Amino acid sequence: MNNSVPQIKFNNQLILTTEQLAEFYGTTTNVIKKNFSNNHDKFIEGKHYFLLEGDHLKAFKKQVKNLHLVGKRSSHLHLWTKRGASRHAKMLGTDRAWDVYDELEENYFNPQTQAFLPQTPEEKITLLLQNANEDNKRIKQIDNRVTDLEDNQNLAPGEYNYISHRVRAAVNEYEATHHLLLTQKQRSKLYKDINTGLNQVTGIKTRTQLRKKDFDTADEYIRNWQPSTATLQIIKQLSGIAEGQMSLKN
């Protein structure tokens, strides 16, 4: 909003004319008047609006003489309070009406700041673009929160069983490919190796902590897994111990 529109008061309340409401909400004065006429029982004089006639109207015309807000020949005039402007926004029900009302509430009706309303087409377009940008930011924040919630969900039972199956299959495949006949103790070293690496690449301590966001990383790691040199060396040492024990028994 620019700073070219001063705040106008009546009865110590900030008000807007019917012409202003129509312009800001992107409608016509006839629509504003028709909504008021059709829903007159929902408006309370002194709360939602003021009706000026006679001397009160003359005094107000003098007050806003240079602001071009009141027609010289007007015999009566409705002035809308913050609550009245809100009620019209509800009746119009358009995104623009609510967006502009938010601006009015925050900047015009807020007595703590000098607020101003857009006047030129360029200023109104700027206001609408600003509102659109704010909406896009809110939508993006919601999308990010939803994505984060989905990513941090526990693996579904089927996904968890798939990862467990792939770990067993990777160990068996390594043993078969290298024509190894391992003892249970040696095979446990392979399981320890693959599980330790799996925990490291996904940043977890135990496999039960795997989240949906970890699934693809875990699957890729298992597909490319090869035991470390240290693990292979330990398995080889265990083979020597086993052979020595066999020789002693014989």
Side-chain angles (χ1 to χ4, degrees):
M1 286 187 175
N2 63 34
N3 54 2
S4 62
V5 179
Q7 294 172 320
I8 305 301
K9 286 187 176 183
F10 180 80
N11 267 13
N12 294 320
Q13 291 192 48
L14 292 166
I15 53 84
L16 292 170
T17 66
T18 299
E19 287 74 11
Q20 284 178 305
L21 277 185
E23 183 177 2
F24 298 142
Y25 287 168
T27 186
T28 65
T29 57
N30 286 336
V31 171
I32 297 293
K33 292 175 181 178
K34 184 177 181 180
N35 283 344
F36 175 61
S37 177
N38 291 340
N39 299 276
H40 192 273
D41 59 326
K42 294 181 174 63
F43 290 86
I44 301 174
E45 186 172 359
K47 179 179 179 180
H48 298 104
Y49 71 95
F50 297 103
L51 176 60
L52 302 188
E53 298 175 305
D55 292 339
H56 291 297
L57 179 57
K58 289 179 182 179
F60 185 77
K61 284 182 177 181
K62 290 180 180 179
Q63 176 187 345
V64 299
K65 182 176 180 180
N66 297 324
L67 300 177
H68 308 291
L69 296 177
V70 186
K72 293 182 179 180
R73 299 181 180 178
S74 299
S75 60
H76 67 276
L77 180 69
H78 285 93
L79 302 178
W80 305 101
T81 65
K82 175 182 176 181
R83 291 182 174 180
S86 172
R87 191 136 295 188
H88 276 291
K90 291 179 181 178
M91 290 178 179
L92 289 170
T94 64
D95 291 339
R96 169 166 177 166
W98 279 117
D99 288 341
V100 173
Y101 176 74
D102 287 342
E103 291 291 324
L104 289 171
E105 182 179 39
E106 181 177 351
N107 296 313
Y108 185 79
F109 289 113
N110 183 354
Q112 302 301 319
T113 61
Q114 276 293 328
F116 308 96
L117 304 178
Q119 292 296 292
T120 67
E122 292 79 7
E123 291 166 353
K124 293 172 184 176
I125 290 173
T126 299
L127 172 60
L128 291 175
L129 289 175
Q130 289 173 346
N131 289 331
N133 288 335
E134 289 301 318
D135 288 341
N136 288 335
K137 289 179 182 178
R138 288 193 289 268
I139 292 171
K140 186 175 182 180
Q141 289 172 350
I142 292 172
D143 287 343
N144 289 339
R145 287 197 293 269
V146 171
T147 299
D148 186 63
L149 288 173
E150 291 176 346
D151 287 345
N152 284 288
Q153 286 182 345
N154 291 330
L155 289 182
E159 294 171 323
Y160 183 85
N161 291 336
Y162 170 84
I163 293 297
S164 298
H165 171 76
R166 290 293 302 130
V167 167
R168 291 192 299 271
V171 171
N172 292 336
E173 183 179 344
Y174 182 85
E175 186 176 1
T177 301
H178 293 81
H179 307 291
L180 300 175
L181 186 59
L182 302 178
T183 64
Q184 185 62 35
K185 190 171 185 179
Q186 290 172 313
R187 191 175 294 108
S188 70
K189 299 302 178 181
L190 292 180
Y191 278 111
K192 181 179 179 180
D193 185 282
I194 191 171
N195 284 321
T196 299
L198 178 62
N199 293 347
Q200 288 176 343
V201 298
T202 55
I204 60 174
K205 292 183 179 180
T206 63
R207 197 186 304 171
T208 56
Q209 295 177 338
L210 283 172
R211 301 293 183 264
K212 284 188 177 295
K213 66 180 180 180
D214 303 321
F215 181 84
D216 291 338
T217 300
D219 190 35
E220 181 182 2
Y221 165 76
I222 296 169
R223 291 180 185 278
N224 296 307
W225 168 77
Q226 290 293 323
S228 68
T229 302
T231 297
L232 294 178
Q233 187 68 29
I234 291 172
I235 290 174
K236 184 177 180 180
Q237 291 172 353
L238 290 174
S239 295
I241 292 173
E243 289 175 0
Q245 290 175 342
M246 289 291 293
S247 298
L248 289 175
K249 289 182 179 180
N250 292 334

